[in-house]
């Protein structure tokens, strides 16, 4: 059952907010977001719904240009057999890729995907 894994992914932003509330005023946040690393671990789950939720978590947690989030999202786009996961990866890349980033070329490349839904998601990510 994928339910507990999806619930854990949906809880990651709340955990990040709680950690931020515990820092002292003026204390800098740690480098990288621990939630990003946790979400990335779910990108190889056997269940496509879990991978989609992991990409949604990355979209919510990672900062634009986060190297780990962008690299793992690009990997999903390039290697996942499930079109819905590739669509979710495109949506995440649209939110995560920095302007001029290599990830933008991956989005353009998805315009040639054999699945119409993925091509449409690429168009939406580019707009």
């Amino acid at each position: 059952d994928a339910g507990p894994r999806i619930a854990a992914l949906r809880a990651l932003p709340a955990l990040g907010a709680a950690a931020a509330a515990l820092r002292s005023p003026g204390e800098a946040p740690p480098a990288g977001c621990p939630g990003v690393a946790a979400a990335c671990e779910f990108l190889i789950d056997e269940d496509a719904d879990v991978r989609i939720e992991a990409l949604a978590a990355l979209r919510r947690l990672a900062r634009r240009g986060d190297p780990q989030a962008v690299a793992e999202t690009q990997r999903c786009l390039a290697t996942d057999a499930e079109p819905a996961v590739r669509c979710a990866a495109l949506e995440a890349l649209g939110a995560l890729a920095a302007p001029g980033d290599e990830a933008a070329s991956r989005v353009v490349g998805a315009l040639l995907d054999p699945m119409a839904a993925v091509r449409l998601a690429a168009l939406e990510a580019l707009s």
Side-chain angles (χ1 to χ4, degrees):
D1 179 29
R5 296 187 307 277
I6 290 173
L9 284 161
R10 289 181 180 162
L12 286 176
L15 293 174
L22 293 174
R23 283 195 296 276
S24 301
E27 182 182 354
C33 174
V36 169
C40 286
E41 291 181 26
F42 286 96
L43 292 175
I44 58 171
D45 195 274
E46 72 270 0
D47 190 297
D49 290 335
V50 173
R51 297 192 306 274
I52 290 167
E53 191 61 41
L55 288 160
L58 286 176
R59 228 180 37 248
R60 291 187 301 268
L61 291 168
R63 290 192 170 115
R64 184 172 291 279
D66 181 295
Q68 181 182 17
V70 170
E72 292 296 323
T73 302
Q74 287 183 66
R75 185 191 56 72
C76 276
L77 176 60
T79 64
D80 203 291
E82 187 63 43
V85 175
R86 295 196 306 275
C87 289
L90 284 161
E91 189 176 332
L93 277 178
L96 295 173
D101 195 340
E102 172 195 333
S105 66
R106 301 279 179 130
V107 174
V108 171
L111 293 170
L112 301 174
D113 195 279
M115 300 301 297
V118 177
R119 294 191 304 269
L120 180 59
L123 282 172
E124 290 173 3
L126 290 169
S127 60

